Amino acid sequence: MTGEGTLSLWRNARLVSMAPGASWDGVADGALLTGDGHIAWAGEGGAVPASMRARITAEHDLGGALLTPGLIDCHSHLVYAGSRAAEFEQRLQGASYEDIARAGGGIRHTVTATRAASESALLAQALRRAACLMAEGVTTLEIKSGYGLSAECEARCLRVARQIGAQLPLTVRTTSLGAHALAPEFAGRPDAYIDEVCRWLALQQAEGLVDAVDVFCDDIGFSPAQTRRVLDAARSLGLPVKLHAEQLSNQGGAALAAEYGALSCDHLEWLDSQGVASMAAAGTVAVLLPGAFYFLRETRLPPVAALREAGVPIAIATDHNPGSAPGLSLLLMLNMACTLFRLTPEEALRGVTEHAARALGLQDSHGVLAPGYVADFALWDLEHPRELASNFGHNPCRQVVRGGRPISFAGGMPAWAD
Ligand code: DI6
Ligand code: FE
């Protein structure tokens, strides 16, 4: 892919490639060669191979900036309408997230607002949210459905997600999460609702709307038996699966998902040792979501030490949604992953690069700066990558490049700069 054509040289940066074995301190006089949207070479500026030097037609002096892979937010619920700030107030008065959900609020509140919104209104709001994430270096974003809960509205939300990927210089991976909450029309009939969710998957797949399938397996979500039926339906269509598992209770969801070779299990505060072992054996990524933990004032920590010891790859994501994690800063999640979950800054950055790519099945193309990978990267006004996790509340991102092309944020909306 980069064998013959012209190349761009990006030089004079501290290169933090996140390639396995690369130094956490980065390469001081680092450089990249890109061509045809991909990385042709990465290393010390003085060591560019002569054969490649001859093909360079453009040169960018990066002025000593820190250079990392573009960030990957591997878990978001970006498409929805309405606000849940009133529930924030209710929780401050003592109501729990589960109380509000059981009383018909929570996810179902957002479903009512989302069903009432047009595709263009949903798109306009979601574009602005995606722009916030991108301004902090996000170049790949997973977007789930799950606030439609009908064949038509779930498809509408997935179409909006696809539109975001078409309109912005951003890689979008879509996840079908019809089994997020019980649709109000199916009150008391969760198994009949699961039949519907399974039926929709084939239609969504035929329309090219779905890259993966997810289920909220919990006391206030769906049972392991119901979850299994959705995972079976996904498997019969050849779709990869993920799971909202062990967030508010321990259902054994992680072990169940691992049985299906899940790409990831997400949340995991209630994960037990059997779940850890199953995930390790299946190579399933643990996606930790410190924003939801923080916003719901959870106290039970995900078993980070056990995940580490078992060699389970750990990713970090925003879980952006209006109810449990309304933030739009992946950098803040790096900070919280360290302060709340005691990840190291290096683990946190790997959690939004190499391991986040793996959680989306993109580990062979995204998440590290190495030959053959996509030329998605971010430049930061920072000296060391640890500062990405230690700082919070301001945005040190100087430039975002996707597929070798710089992005401009003129007017707040990301677009190709060239
Ligand atoms: N867990 C979450 O944290 C989000 N979905 C889920 O299954 C929250 C969704 C919401 O409250 O709107
Ligand atoms: Fe979520």
Side-chain angles (χ1 to χ4, degrees), residues 77 84 97 107 147 180 216 244 247 267 292 319 321-324:
H77 308 248
R84 302 256 292 282
Y97 181 77
I107 293 172
Y147 291 116
H180 193 198
F216 182 30
H244 278 69
Q247 179 185 8
H267 286 286
D319 192 21
N321 72 74
S324 70

Side-chain angles (χ1 to χ4, degrees), residues 315-371:
I316 304 296
T318 61
D319 192 21
H320 174 80
N321 72 74
S324 70
L328 281 166
S329 170
L330 190 55
L331 288 181
L332 181 58
M333 297 307 112
L334 295 194
N335 180 266
M336 286 186 181
C338 298
T339 54
L340 301 175
F341 295 166
R342 314 312 283 167
L343 263 64
T344 66
E346 183 173 359
E347 287 172 326
L349 184 59
R350 197 166 300 286
V352 295
T353 53
E354 188 199 356
H355 290 169
R358 184 169 292 279
L360 299 178
L362 297 176
Q363 62 274 11
D364 296 328
S365 54
H366 291 67
V368 303
L369 298 175

Side-chain angles (χ1 to χ4, degrees), residues 75 79 156 159 345:
H75 181 143
V79 182
R156 195 194 315 160
R159 268 182 226 119

Side-chain angles (χ1 to χ4, degrees), residues 384-398:
H384 193 279
R386 60 171 74 100
E387 293 170 286
L388 286 167
S390 66
N391 295 334
F392 66 94
H394 67 101
N395 183 7
C397 189
R398 182 191 294 183

